[in-house]
Amino acid sequence: MEKKKKRLLSLLLILPLLLVILGLMKQYNRKQDEKQEAEEKAAKVYVTDMKEVSSVSYKTGNSEFTFQKVDDTWVYEPDPDFPLAQNYPEQIVSTFGNLEALRELKDGDAPEDYGLTAPAYTIKLDDADGNEINLSIGNAVDDAYYLLNENTEKIYTVSSSVTGALQHTLEEMAQLDTYPSIGSGNLKKEVITRGGEITIYDSENDDDAKNIAAVAGGLGAVTLGSAADYSVEDKDLKEFGLDEDTRITVEATYTKDEEENVLNLYIGGEDGEGNRYVMMNDSRIVYLISVEICNNILNIEEEEVKE
């Protein structure tokens, strides 16, 4: 019994020491990790380090884009009303504002040998203090590109992935409207106003069951993908047949999460390629929706169209 007590006492005395040793080991390992991280960071080579980019412009092929930050919102400089999805300029700034190089070329060849006198891409970054960075991207090499920082006249190789941020067309960068989910199960009423005449289809009216199913099928088939104009001006609405005197107005009342909502569609003329011009709510985007879907929304039978 006495031996057991001594053994237990010894363990109790050793335990604090073990805890201290464990703590010291953890602290040592943490410092080693921090040291390694600092060394790795110091070994990295950066082409740029611009903290607050306020403007970015770039050229690629025959395309040229300029985006400016206005009140914390990025806008397309040639057309500030263009519905620009913010993630595109943000990705460009994130990529080129603090660009890490694979390596810096020292005592290399002349810029023309790397395709940098006729670059595939040029990028210009500005900040609010008037500082600017000019970059040129030239030939590809393995999984990288040669890049020239024109401010420092230094040449680097950078990952080929950096050009991914520059590959989008303006149409791809548009932030399109969100179209609601509508079907015969949640469509309550549709009111069509056309040339002063009003047609109403009401789900509460048993005689309208077939009509509600037809127009709900049209409303449910709409997808917002193609657009004829991303920021149409009032003076140009007439050419699309979307001025107030010409357009057809569709007011659809539907439920979402047990609450009633209203979708306003404005249907204009045809584009000659099987589509009609359509706008929704207070958006300035003119969409292209197939004539067939528009006819379903308006509950127009094929025979009526032929006539």
Side-chain angles (χ1 to χ4, degrees), residues 134-170:
N134 293 278
L135 307 172
S136 296
I137 298 177
N139 296 340
V141 51
D142 298 326
D143 291 327
Y145 281 104
Y146 291 112
L147 180 144
L148 169 67
N149 183 331
E150 295 180 19
N151 299 64
T152 63
E153 297 185 350
K154 291 181 179 181
I155 299 175
Y156 305 84
T157 56
V158 295
S159 170
S160 59
S161 64
V162 302
T163 60
L166 310 175
Q167 299 296 331
H168 305 285
T169 65
L170 185 62

Side-chain angles (χ1 to χ4, degrees), residues 46-97:
Y46 286 92
V47 180
T48 61
D49 185 21
M50 182 173 278
K51 302 298 183 184
E52 297 292 337
V53 178
S54 59
S55 174
V56 57
S57 58
Y58 62 97
K59 295 179 182 178
T60 169
N62 295 323
S63 301
E64 183 174 353
F65 301 93
T66 298
F67 303 112
Q68 293 181 334
K69 203 167 191 179
V70 179
D71 297 330
D72 295 326
T73 300
W74 286 99
V75 299
Y76 177 54
E77 192 270 338
D79 182 6
D81 293 325
F82 179 83
L84 179 65
Q86 296 297 290
N87 59 300
Y88 290 100
E90 287 171 356
Q91 182 187 10
I92 296 170
V93 170
S94 175
T95 299
F96 292 99

